[in-house]
Amino acid sequence: MRTIVHLSDLHFGRIDPELLDPLRWRVHALEPHVVVVSGDLTQRARSGQFREAKAFLDTLPRPQVVVPGNHDVPLFNVFQRFFSPLGRYKRIVSRNPEPEYIDDEVAIVGVNTARSFVWKDGSIDSRQVERVKSRICGLDQRVVKIVVTHHPFDVPEDHNEAEIVDKAERAMQAFAQCGADLLLAGHLHKTNTTNSAERYKTAGHIALIVQAGTATSTRARGETNSFNCLRLSAEGVAVERWQWNSFSKVFELGPVERFLHTADGWHRPQ
Ligand SMILES: [Fe+2]
Ligand SMILES: [Fe+2]
């Protein structure tokens, strides 16, 4: 049994500060084994914004697997954008933008998909795919294998496919060969869970592609602020959506999707 809290798109610099204490309280109350943060910690990659984000993350449970998003690469400071895109992130948040957490039940591998040249779009290169493979290939089948990126491997129906991380097809083939179970991402500020077999032809293997909404940004794009909590068990996974209630001022339990773990991947219960 493992409980994983998945936060995304905090966007310090453009947050609703009213949400911070209730979010911190709820995350602690869920008693997660691991906290995952899938990027866009800041709005404009400024030092002060990174310091605020880091101070907030320091109040959340550990261990944490935190990766950067496109907003954590400077957009307007061209020198930094191209010569030191993650300089501030590494100095203030973490020297390692691709952390991992592995125990005897779960393997969580973070991948940095933020890029300087295609600022908004992300990409995953062959070196990164090889690293993920080296971490998850060969692990016991019972270990749930999770890849964390900022840019998603799938999009909701009303979104453009161009928003999918660049070079996703090749990466998904490799991940499927190694039995990757879950792909966690953010970026769209929209909660979404899909089955990899709908988009990718990965014979004999189905992964779940799970996106979290924005936990604290004021740019919620039509959704209330939210985060996900994944409850992993021997039978399957429950993906809980915890969403902000602006009347009661708490993050409360919203829809829960359940999937059973079978030999070829995940299926909704009949
Ligand atoms: Fe974002
Ligand atoms: Fe983003």
Side-chain angles (χ1 to χ4, degrees):
M1 298 282 286
R2 287 286 180 269
T3 298
I4 298 168
V5 161
H6 173 201
L7 307 176
S8 199
D9 296 81
L10 302 174
H11 285 286
F12 276 85
R14 195 166 173 174
I15 63 157
D16 181 347
E18 183 182 41
L19 276 60
L20 290 183
D21 282 341
L23 176 61
R24 178 186 302 113
W25 184 86
R26 179 60 76 192
V27 171
H28 276 278
L30 290 167
E31 298 185 350
H33 294 93
V34 186
V35 173
V36 166
V37 185
S38 57
D40 279 359
L41 275 56
T42 67
Q43 182 64 17
R44 282 285 165 248
R46 299 203 170 107
S47 297
Q49 296 171 355
F50 278 124
R51 278 194 289 272
E52 287 180 42
K54 169 70 170 155
F56 179 70
L57 293 179
D58 282 347
T59 68
L60 297 183
R62 292 183 178 277
Q64 300 176 359
V65 175
V66 182
V67 298
N70 53 305
H71 278 261
D72 301 319
V73 170
L75 175 61
F76 301 119
N77 185 329
V78 174
F79 183 84
Q80 285 204 341
R81 178 173 163 188
F82 291 102
F83 292 101
S84 183
L86 288 177
R88 288 174 181 160
Y89 182 98
K90 288 180 177 172
R91 203 171 67 243
I92 299 167
V93 178
S94 170
R95 285 183 6 212
N96 182 7
E98 300 197 316
E100 59 204 39
Y101 170 84
I102 299 172
D103 67 21
D104 56 356
E105 289 191 36
V106 72
I108 306 174
V109 184
V111 178
N112 166 34
T113 54
R115 297 291 184 268
S116 303
F117 282 92
V118 282
W119 181 82
K120 187 161 177 264
D121 302 322
S123 184
I124 181 164
D125 62 33
S126 53
R127 179 193 61 82
Q128 292 175 307
V129 171
E130 288 305 313
R131 173 179 158 261
V132 173
K133 283 172 65 179
S134 76
R135 299 301 191 275
I136 65 172
C137 264
L139 289 178
D140 191 289
Q141 205 194 335
R142 286 168 298 183
V143 177
V144 178
K145 301 160 193 80
I146 301 174
V147 180
V148 180
T149 57
H150 176 62
H151 297 83
F153 283 87
D154 202 356
V155 288
E157 278 180 3
D158 58 341
H159 276 254
N160 192 326
E161 292 187 3
E163 293 178 294
I164 293 173
V165 63
D166 195 24
K167 302 190 177 122
E169 180 73 46
R170 189 190 55 193
M172 285 297 285
Q173 296 299 335
F175 295 166
Q177 285 168 13
C178 293
D181 295 295
L182 293 162
L183 295 124
L184 308 185
H187 185 56
L188 303 177
H189 298 200
K190 226 167 193 185
T191 313
N192 192 49
T193 301
T194 52
N195 166 331
S196 66
E198 290 167 18
R199 179 172 297 279
Y200 301 95
K201 294 197 171 34
T202 49
H205 184 78
I206 299 170
L208 277 187
I209 302 175
V210 183
Q211 275 142 256
T214 168
T216 49
S217 168
T218 55
R219 288 181 73 212
R221 300 195 183 139
E223 269 196 11
T224 51
N225 288 101
S226 69
F227 66 92
N228 291 340
C229 180
L230 294 95
R231 311 262 191 197
L232 301 167
S233 66
E235 297 77 40
V237 62
V239 182
E240 302 172 349
R241 181 175 170 215
W242 288 84
Q243 53 198 23
W244 176 241
N245 183 322
S246 56
F247 295 103
S248 56
K249 309 290 185 197
V250 292
F251 280 87
E252 62 184 16
L253 183 61
V256 181
E257 293 185 279
R258 295 178 199 282
F259 301 88
L260 298 174
H261 205 187
T262 64
D264 65 352
W266 307 88
H267 296 275
R268 290 180 193 273
Q270 296 298 310

